[in-house]
Amino acid sequence: MKIGILGSGQLARMITIAAQPLNIATLSISSDPQDRGNGVTPHFIGSFHNEADREAFCTQVDLLTYETENIPLEIVEACRHNKLIKPSSDILRIAQDRLFEKEEFQNLAIPTTEFYPVSSLEEFAQALIKTGYPAILKTRRFGYDGKGQFIVRQPSEMAQAFESLKNSELILEAFVAFDKEVSLIAVRNSTETRFYRLVENIHQSGILRYSKITSDKADLQNQAERYAEHILKKYDYQGVLTIEFFVKENQLIANEMAPRVHNSGHWTFEGSYTSQFENHIRAILDLPLGSCEASHPYVAMFNFIGTLPEKAQLLKLENVSFHDYAKIPKTDRKLGHITLVENDKKQFEMKCLFLEKFIGFNKIY
Amino acid sequence: MKIGILGSGQLARMITIAAQPLNIATLSISSDPQDRGNGVTPHFIGSFHNEADREAFCTQVDLLTYETENIPLEIVEACRHNKLIKPSSDILRIAQDRLFEKEEFQNLAIPTTEFYPVSSLEEFAQALIKTGYPAILKTRRFGYDGKGQFIVRQPSEMAQAFESLKNSELILEAFVAFDKEVSLIAVRNSTETRFYRLVENIHQSGILRYSKITSDKADLQNQAERYAEHILKKYDYQGVLTIEFFVKENQLIANEMAPRVHNSGHWTFEGSYTSQFENHIRAILDLPLGSCEASHPYVAMFNFIGTLPEKAQLLKLENVSFHDYAKIPKTDRKLGHITLVENDKKQFEMKCLFLEKFIGFNKIY
């Protein structure tokens, strides 16, 4: 059994690592013969934009999945003719466009932020009257880690915002003064759905810095699961689906979704019985899903961005696991993460304080 | 960082899988360009018996370790001139010879079975007078999974036993009517030693069928750890060391040791915070060791021997993880294993009963 993965970053890397114990191989595709890929996933040399290469790649694998929603839809649609792709390109079409995504949340009665498509300066001005300030102008597609966004805090910033993003299709979103951000990782095979515990996500400059599983009462978890089920059922979804929510006054407001394994689920490698990566594989192959229960009451995941610390420095902390993505360091690039699991609350809080400082997280930003 | 592994079976495979999150590469060596190896560990094409190949292999790695003690000692000694090897070849020399091993247990005041070297039929007869019947005639070297052994139940079997093994150096061991068999997995870096929970091992026809972590009182665990420390200190040991003991009347009798990761420690992948494989890597690289605590009160590991079941059949059991070693099925070959973890004793016992039957384990043998 061999799974073709579109994309070859750290998510493909971790899917590959999780697939190995099950004796399931993976293959990504790269047009550069010198590409070191992610150091783990083997790759086929060819270009996805070339039909012959794409077909050759597809014949080498049993089915396809993807590690990013930022793949041109026409490429994924073209692959669909050669090979089963899971999750399907129908959900990808929605998830890779902020406008479609928010419209779909509305269709499915999932609360979301106020939003307006923006295709001209006039439309932008009209939309800003409705949202008020601040509001966020975003590209509809290909944004990640806070890229392709502009916070408009006052009318004088309008022109600059539009100028900086005008070459893309845009959406204006009302600013939500949320209490916190959480995400739900759901997984579904053809017959069964399971959910991991909600995690609280802490971002800085648009990039996820760390995640902690929450001790939220059942109502938030239930709300989140109900919303996720609307999407999973509609798309007859197979694989992992991530939904990010704002929490305001104990209500969820859907912000975005990703039809894939997600940074906010990396904790599941050590903090849950079955990792999101293994469950994604089980789901797309329609194998029985594994338990999503947290293995410890306290679990956190901290990202290393831009620089990677010495392993020995962190491994001396009890109950810490280290993941190094084998990447070349670069500003704002995610290079690795650590997971911390604890049974004891005090130990957990002490170590979290240390680790927040260690990763350079600054609460005032 | 790249670790050269002597051997490329399932243990090398699992070392490789555990090394990947830490961005540590592995390399094994094979003289057959068509060798599929274990499906995960990359291999260098060459022969260990050829000096130039051996040197070329050694220049590609930062240090060496081994997955089996059944490597000719002169090969390992030769490598030692090229590259650091951990655990050292001093312990390998002892562990690969049942006579040296038992003599070393005696030297270090670790109780072991009564034993006698056997180099002639006369010596064999003399030894049998001392041990009585039954006794076990074994080859001193290269035995595994019950191979190279002959149980002598009565004088009339003596000639046949000697005839079948006489081409090797031999040892006669007294038969121990043990209450059970347990093993201790210890791990040591240059400064620190840690121990996993004792596991009870159930063999059939000389092959490990399943292991369960024990709820043995502290005294057996303490005894085992004290004995292990004698060896670890004497050899300034770095890596994982496994010692198998018989338990009789709540006392430990050392049976054998393996200077490597061990089948009876496979449960640590899911059943402990840090697997034996990751801790072996941490230890030989002198990184801080990870916690050896069991993650659940009830953990068991079941081997698949000769045939591998359908994954879906077992993955539908909650809390079961599947390991498929990507091997060609063959009688008595270890092809994979599953780990079961539980918080609930009844659930655990029910599933264990099912799994014992499932793997075809027969209590009367």
Side-chain angles (χ1 to χ4, degrees):
Chain A
M1 176 59 65
K2 192 177 280 186
I3 300 172
I5 308 179
L6 310 188
S8 61
Q10 69 268 26
L11 299 178
R13 179 181 165 87
M14 286 184 271
I15 289 170
T16 300
I17 292 172
Q20 287 169 344
L22 294 166
N23 190 22
I24 290 161
T26 56
L27 189 69
S28 65
I29 177 166
S30 171
S31 51
D32 175 9
Q34 298 303 314
D35 191 357
R36 51 203 283 280
N38 59 39
V40 170
T41 313
H43 49 257
F44 171 90
I45 303 302
S47 166
F48 241 110
H49 300 274
N50 177 301
E51 193 182 335
D53 285 356
R54 203 163 56 223
E55 284 181 8
F57 172 69
C58 285
T59 60
Q60 294 198 14
V61 300
D62 297 288
L63 85 169
L64 290 169
T65 191
Y66 42 87
E67 62 141 23
T68 166
E69 56 274 29
N70 290 331
I71 308 165
L73 190 68
E74 58 276 17
I75 296 289
V76 179
E77 293 284 356
C79 288
R80 197 184 197 175
H81 297 294
N82 299 336
K83 201 59 77 172
L84 209 59
I85 182 155
K86 288 181 183 178
S88 83
S89 54
D90 303 331
I91 184 83
L92 187 67
R93 194 181 74 83
I94 302 298
Q96 70 178 202
D97 186 309
R98 292 181 189 281
L99 181 63
F100 295 164
E101 187 175 59
K102 290 208 157 54
E103 285 172 348
E104 189 67 347
F105 286 145
Q106 277 188 336
N107 293 340
L108 295 168
I110 301 168
T112 187
T113 45
E114 196 184 339
F115 65 92
Y116 303 96
V118 167
S119 56
S120 66
L121 200 55
E122 292 67 42
E123 253 183 1
F124 186 23
Q126 289 299 316
L128 272 168
I129 290 166
K130 294 181 204 148
T131 60
Y133 295 88
I136 312 171
L137 187 67
K138 297 180 177 179
T139 58
R140 282 171 52 181
R141 301 174 70 193
F142 302 118
Y144 70 97
D145 287 350
K147 291 178 174 52
Q149 304 197 5
F150 199 110
I151 302 182
V152 194
R153 296 179 192 275
Q154 50 196 16
S156 65
E157 293 177 343
M158 204 186 111
Q160 193 197 343
F162 190 74
E163 191 59 31
S164 69
L165 299 175
K166 71 174 178 190
N167 293 325
S168 308
E169 294 180 290
L170 301 174
I171 180 172
L172 184 73
E173 296 178 7
F175 183 85
V176 179
F178 55 80
D179 303 323
K180 62 182 177 182
E181 291 176 278
V182 297
S183 59
L184 180 75
I185 314 268
V187 59
R188 186 176 185 271
N189 65 15
S190 70
T191 56
E192 189 192 3
T193 303
R194 296 196 182 211
F195 303 98
Y196 290 93
R197 285 265 291 277
L198 277 180
V199 290
E200 180 175 357
N201 299 321
I202 294 91
H203 292 82
Q204 192 166 39
S205 311
I207 305 178
L208 181 65
R209 298 284 154 163
Y210 63 97
S211 297
K212 295 178 189 185
I213 60 172
T214 66
S215 48
D216 276 321
K217 291 154 228 110
D219 58 346
L220 268 196
Q221 181 82 33
N222 290 344
Q223 252 187 63
E225 293 183 8
R226 209 175 59 238
Y227 294 150
E229 269 174 352
H230 294 337
I231 301 166
L232 295 169
K233 278 185 187 156
K234 171 163 177 184
Y235 289 90
D236 195 14
Y237 195 94
Q238 262 184 266
V240 160
L241 171 73
T242 307
I243 313 180
E244 293 183 87
F245 298 97
F246 299 128
V247 180
K248 196 178 172 185
E249 291 157 10
N250 216 34
Q251 294 297 315
L252 295 173
I253 302 164
N255 181 34
E256 57 185 58
M257 62 176 156
R260 56 167 169 85
V261 290
H262 192 264
N263 193 170
S264 67
H266 289 359
W267 65 275
T268 61
F269 239 131
E270 294 86 13
S272 174
Y273 187 70
T274 320
S275 74
Q276 64 167 345
F277 305 101
E278 179 171 344
N279 259 337
H280 183 68
I281 294 158
R282 293 199 195 190
I284 65 176
L285 299 181
D286 210 18
L287 287 168
L289 302 178
S291 167
C292 295
E293 292 293 312
S295 61
H296 294 73
Y298 304 100
V299 184
M301 186 279 319
F302 295 82
N303 274 341
F304 298 124
I305 295 164
T307 55
L308 201 64
E310 277 295 311
K311 286 183 185 77
Q313 209 175 349
L314 286 166
L315 290 179
K316 72 186 174 199
L317 279 182
E318 196 78 356
N319 296 343
V320 159
S321 293
F322 199 104
H323 292 255
D324 172 350
Y325 306 153
K327 285 184 174 181
I328 295 161
K330 189 181 156 186
T331 306
D332 285 351
R333 181 173 279 173
K334 288 175 181 169
L335 301 177
H337 74 265
I338 54 170
T339 315
L340 167 69
V341 304
E342 289 290 347
N343 290 315
D344 180 76
K345 191 176 179 179
K346 269 200 178 152
Q347 277 291 323
F348 180 71
E349 287 174 350
M350 252 174 45
K351 288 185 191 171
C352 281
L353 273 177
F354 168 80
L355 289 167
E356 283 175 25
K357 279 191 194 155
F358 188 89
I359 63 166
F361 180 75
N362 177 3
K363 285 204 190 268
I364 301 136
Y365 62 100
Chain B
M1 174 61 63
K2 192 175 281 185
I3 299 172
I5 307 179
L6 309 188
S8 62
Q10 69 267 26
L11 299 177
R13 180 180 165 88
M14 287 184 268
I15 290 172
T16 300
I17 292 172
Q20 286 169 346
L22 294 167
N23 190 22
I24 290 161
T26 56
L27 189 69
S28 65
I29 177 166
S30 171
S31 50
D32 175 8
Q34 298 304 313
D35 189 357
R36 51 203 282 281
N38 58 39
V40 170
T41 312
H43 50 257
F44 171 90
I45 303 301
S47 166
F48 240 110
H49 299 274
N50 176 301
E51 192 182 335
D53 285 358
R54 202 164 56 223
E55 283 181 7
F57 172 70
C58 285
T59 59
Q60 292 197 17
V61 300
D62 295 289
L63 86 168
L64 290 169
T65 192
Y66 41 90
E67 64 142 21
T68 166
E69 56 276 28
N70 290 332
I71 308 164
L73 191 69
E74 58 276 17
I75 296 288
V76 179
E77 292 286 355
C79 288
R80 195 185 198 175
H81 297 295
N82 301 90
K83 201 61 76 172
L84 210 57
I85 183 155
K86 288 181 182 177
S88 83
S89 54
D90 302 330
I91 185 81
L92 186 67
R93 194 181 74 84
I94 302 299
Q96 69 178 203
D97 186 308
R98 292 182 191 281
L99 180 63
F100 295 165
E101 187 174 59
K102 291 209 157 53
E103 286 172 346
E104 188 68 345
F105 287 145
Q106 278 189 335
N107 293 339
L108 294 169
I110 301 168
T112 188
T113 45
E114 196 183 338
F115 65 92
Y116 302 96
V118 167
S119 56
S120 66
L121 200 57
E122 292 67 42
E123 251 182 2
F124 186 24
Q126 289 301 315
L128 273 167
I129 291 166
K130 294 181 204 148
T131 60
Y133 295 88
I136 313 170
L137 187 66
K138 297 180 177 178
T139 59
R140 282 171 52 181
R141 302 174 68 190
F142 302 119
Y144 70 98
D145 287 350
K147 290 178 174 53
Q149 302 196 4
F150 199 111
I151 302 183
V152 194
R153 296 179 194 276
Q154 50 195 14
S156 65
E157 292 176 345
M158 202 186 112
Q160 192 195 343
F162 190 74
E163 192 59 31
S164 69
L165 300 174
K166 71 173 180 191
N167 293 325
S168 308
E169 294 181 289
L170 302 174
I171 180 172
L172 184 73
E173 297 178 8
F175 184 84
V176 179
F178 55 80
D179 304 323
K180 62 183 178 183
E181 291 175 279
V182 298
S183 58
L184 180 74
I185 314 268
V187 58
R188 184 176 186 269
N189 64 16
S190 69
T191 55
E192 190 190 3
T193 303
R194 295 194 182 214
F195 304 97
Y196 290 94
R197 285 264 291 276
L198 276 179
V199 290
E200 181 174 356
N201 299 321
I202 293 91
H203 292 81
Q204 193 165 36
S205 311
I207 305 177
L208 182 65
R209 297 283 154 163
Y210 62 95
S211 297
K212 295 178 186 183
I213 60 171
T214 65
S215 49
D216 276 320
K217 292 154 227 108
D219 58 346
L220 267 197
Q221 180 82 33
N222 290 344
Q223 252 186 63
E225 294 183 6
R226 208 177 59 237
Y227 295 149
E229 269 175 353
H230 294 335
I231 300 167
L232 296 169
K233 278 186 187 155
K234 171 164 178 183
Y235 289 91
D236 195 14
Y237 196 93
Q238 264 184 264
V240 159
L241 172 73
T242 307
I243 312 180
E244 292 184 87
F245 298 97
F246 299 129
V247 181
K248 196 177 170 185
E249 292 158 8
N250 216 34
Q251 295 296 316
L252 295 173
I253 301 163
N255 181 35
E256 57 185 59
M257 62 175 158
R260 56 166 170 87
V261 291
H262 192 264
N263 193 169
S264 67
H266 290 359
W267 63 275
T268 60
F269 240 132
E270 294 86 12
S272 173
Y273 187 71
T274 319
S275 74
Q276 64 167 346
F277 305 101
E278 179 172 344
N279 259 337
H280 183 67
I281 294 158
R282 292 198 196 191
I284 66 176
L285 299 181
D286 210 17
L287 288 168
L289 301 178
S291 168
C292 296
E293 293 291 313
S295 61
H296 294 72
Y298 305 100
V299 184
M301 186 278 321
F302 296 82
N303 275 342
F304 298 125
I305 296 165
T307 55
L308 202 66
E310 277 295 311
K311 286 184 185 75
Q313 210 176 347
L314 285 167
L315 290 179
K316 72 185 174 200
L317 277 184
E318 196 79 357
N319 297 343
V320 159
S321 294
F322 199 104
H323 293 254
D324 171 349
Y325 306 153
K327 285 185 174 179
I328 295 161
K330 190 182 156 186
T331 305
D332 286 351
R333 183 174 277 173
K334 290 175 180 168
L335 301 176
H337 74 266
I338 53 168
T339 315
L340 167 67
V341 303
E342 288 291 349
N343 289 316
D344 180 75
K345 192 176 178 178
K346 270 200 179 154
Q347 277 291 322
F348 179 73
E349 286 173 350
M350 254 173 44
K351 289 185 190 169
C352 280
L353 273 177
F354 168 79
L355 289 167
E356 282 174 28
K357 279 190 194 155
F358 188 89
I359 62 166
F361 179 74
N362 177 4
K363 286 205 191 269
I364 301 136
Y365 62 98

